[in-house]
Amino acid sequence: QDKVVVSFHHNDTSVTSVCFREDVEGQVISGTTHGEVAVWDVQERTLQGLISRTKQVRSKEEVIDSPHTAAVHTLLWYPGTEMMVSAGGDNALLQFRFDTIDGLGLLVRERRGHMGSCTASHFYNSDLVVTAGADQALRVTHVFSDRASWELSQGKIGKRQRDTQQSRDLIKLSPATALASSTHRNYQWSSLVSIHDCSTQLCGWRMDTRALEVKLAGISTTMHSSRCVTVSQCGNFAMIGYSSGHLVSIHLQNKSIRHFLQHDKTAGGQANTGVGGVGGGHAKDANKTAHSGSVEAVQVCKGNTVVASCGTDGNMILWDLLSTDLIRIINLGIAVTTTSSCLHPESSFMMVGCIDFTIRAFSCDPDVADGTPLRCLAGHSSSITAMAITPDTFQHLVSASSDSALM
């Protein structure tokens, strides 16, 4: 009969994978349902150490985050080497090496995808697509080469973990809800911007350094959040629409708030300090906003000269991009309720999702715009969640709705 030589126990979890170290005799590595990876010494019958997010540590008190956030279903030791690979249910593949001076494992490379649903996606150019997920990460994926894919850095997460003794989920940004970009200023300042769930901040990312560069909040209140964002074609300005009805222009080069777009502004669009939750010293009156309802769509059109914003108040408002002066207020006759919108750049047609589950195209040209829908696309039986226009011909529109329909 088989005889039990030694047994090891994990606290409050189950073992899902096991492998032996081939470079050292008498050591076994185990993975658990909680994402923990432990190294055991069979001869000494003790715990040799635990593998954290980046390296192996001696005790459990030193582990801030486990290498995986879901069950470790595979542990594989490369024969004849000092390398181990782990794979988990969090869509991550990690490679560790154990040829260090102290013999402890060290993370050398990793391949990760989003864990959970994808919250936003955006083509940065013809080769790179940026995606945001419920795992609070922004990833850049190369269409043709997996080696050219990476995760955008949110700063020194590990150092902040050690200083605050908090988990990565509390330190990282909330899931992004919308993305926008312009490649004209790729190596000068932030060329990719994002807005996030339950937040008023706009985050600017540099694609050359692959890291977060700036965080700005147009309004300083927890009662409202950002709803839509766009970047001008020149790459200098970002426009953010809020659920409070505010529309804010951000200067990406200066990393500052440029203007609050309002119906009533002083000369030059500048304004004095407001009260009641609007910060930055650019608001004339906190109660005066761009729209009387939530701003659900914003685009820069008309050859990078006009800003078009739509909201739940049923109005389309046209603004001058440089001076931020009000040009026209157009009554659409229907509320815009979808934060996803797209623009036909050659004709300045703006496609928006409406409350009656239709997609309507309106002209953003101040000379001809009168609020009459130029196109009305019906067919969805639920609220529209996303839409995109083909960038090569601008002839086809693809839309998705919450009833899992794709048209």
Side-chain angles (χ1 to χ4, degrees):
Q1 294 181 353
D2 295 333
K3 181 180 178 181
V4 177
V5 179
V6 62
S7 63
F8 302 106
H9 297 276
H10 287 273
N11 294 329
D12 302 326
T13 185
S14 303
V15 177
T16 54
S17 56
V18 175
C19 77
F20 282 93
R21 287 188 60 173
E22 297 186 6
D23 59 332
V24 177
E25 293 185 359
Q27 288 193 9
V28 62
I29 304 175
S30 61
T32 69
T33 55
H34 291 174
E36 300 174 350
V37 178
V39 183
W40 308 89
D41 193 318
V42 178
Q43 297 179 351
E44 298 294 333
R45 301 187 177 187
T46 58
L47 176 66
Q48 183 71 17
L50 293 168
I51 297 180
S52 65
R53 181 84 175 189
T54 58
K55 62 181 180 178
Q56 182 180 343
V57 295
R58 296 290 186 182
S59 62
K60 190 172 183 179
E61 287 72 20
E62 301 178 58
V63 178
I64 299 177
D65 262 350
S66 300
H68 294 274
T69 57
V72 183
H73 55 69
T74 302
L75 290 174
L76 175 65
W77 191 274
Y78 281 134
T81 66
E82 296 171 330
M83 296 284 186
M84 184 198 72
V85 174
S86 66
D90 56 352
N91 202 16
L93 194 67
L94 310 181
Q95 183 179 12
F96 297 88
R97 64 183 180 92
F98 291 80
D99 57 349
T100 56
I101 297 177
D102 52 8
L104 300 179
L106 182 67
L107 178 68
V108 290
R109 63 175 55 90
E110 62 179 335
R111 290 287 184 269
R112 290 182 181 270
H114 285 296
M115 180 183 178
S117 60
C118 183
T119 57
S121 62
H122 175 77
F123 266 99
Y124 182 75
N125 53 31
S126 59
D127 297 333
L128 300 177
V129 58
V130 185
T131 57
D135 56 354
Q136 303 171 268
L138 267 73
R139 303 187 186 278
V140 181
T141 304
H142 198 282
V143 177
F144 306 106
S145 175
D146 181 64
R147 291 187 177 183
S149 304
W150 64 88
E151 179 181 347
L152 292 174
S153 172
Q154 298 186 20
K156 299 179 180 180
I157 301 295
K159 182 179 183 301
R160 289 156 63 187
Q161 275 187 281
R162 292 190 294 269
D163 294 341
T164 61
Q165 293 296 312
Q166 293 180 335
S167 65
R168 295 175 67 92
D169 295 341
L170 297 177
I171 297 176
K172 295 180 72 173
L173 298 168
S174 59
T177 56
L179 304 168
S181 68
S182 175
T183 57
H184 288 83
R185 305 293 182 179
N186 188 22
Y187 296 98
Q188 295 176 297
W189 52 76
S190 299
S191 57
L192 173 72
V193 296
S194 63
I195 56 175
H196 298 260
D197 186 34
C198 301
S199 173
T200 60
Q201 286 186 333
L202 173 133
C203 297
W205 309 81
R206 291 192 61 148
M207 295 294 283
D208 54 343
T209 60
R210 304 180 179 182
L212 176 67
E213 184 183 35
V214 63
K215 290 192 292 186
L216 289 171
I219 58 176
S220 54
T221 177
T222 58
M223 297 178 62
H224 297 281
S225 61
S226 52
R227 297 289 295 167
C228 55
V229 66
T230 189
V231 177
S232 61
Q233 298 171 16
C234 60
N236 292 309
F237 310 115
M239 310 298 298
I240 318 172
Y242 290 94
S243 59
S244 60
H246 289 94
L247 184 61
V248 183
S249 175
I250 302 293
H251 202 297
L252 295 177
Q253 181 182 8
N254 297 337
K255 305 180 183 65
S256 61
I257 298 174
R258 178 169 169 257
H259 289 293
F260 282 86
L261 280 68
Q262 299 175 347
H263 293 176
D264 184 14
K265 298 191 293 292
T266 57
Q270 293 289 351
N272 50 28
T273 304
V275 294
V278 180
H282 295 264
K284 180 180 178 182
D285 188 347
N287 296 322
K288 292 183 179 180
T289 59
H291 289 262
S292 59
S294 175
V295 182
E296 297 294 309
V298 60
Q299 294 287 344
V300 178
C301 54
K302 192 62 176 176
N304 202 46
T305 60
V306 175
V307 177
S309 61
C310 300
T312 56
D313 56 359
N315 291 331
M316 172 187 284
I317 305 181
L318 304 181
W319 316 80
D320 187 273
L321 176 63
L322 297 181
S323 65
T324 67
D325 291 335
L326 175 66
I327 301 176
R328 287 188 63 185
I329 300 178
I330 304 169
N331 185 8
L332 302 180
I334 190 170
V336 176
T337 57
T338 302
T339 57
S340 178
S341 63
C342 57
L343 179 74
H344 192 287
E346 296 181 356
S347 59
S348 294
F349 287 177
M350 183 176 179
M351 275 69 73
V352 294
C354 299
I355 195 172
D356 59 351
F357 309 145
T358 61
I359 299 175
R360 304 192 182 200
F362 298 96
S363 175
C364 300
D365 191 339
D367 298 329
V368 299
D370 59 357
T372 303
L374 304 174
R375 301 285 189 277
C376 184
L377 308 177
H380 287 289
S381 59
S382 184
S383 58
I384 299 167
T385 56
M387 67 179 73
I389 192 170
T390 53
D392 50 352
T393 62
F394 299 107
Q395 293 182 354
H396 300 92
L397 181 72
V398 182
S399 62
S401 59
S402 57
D403 58 354
S404 304
L406 187 65
M407 297 184 180

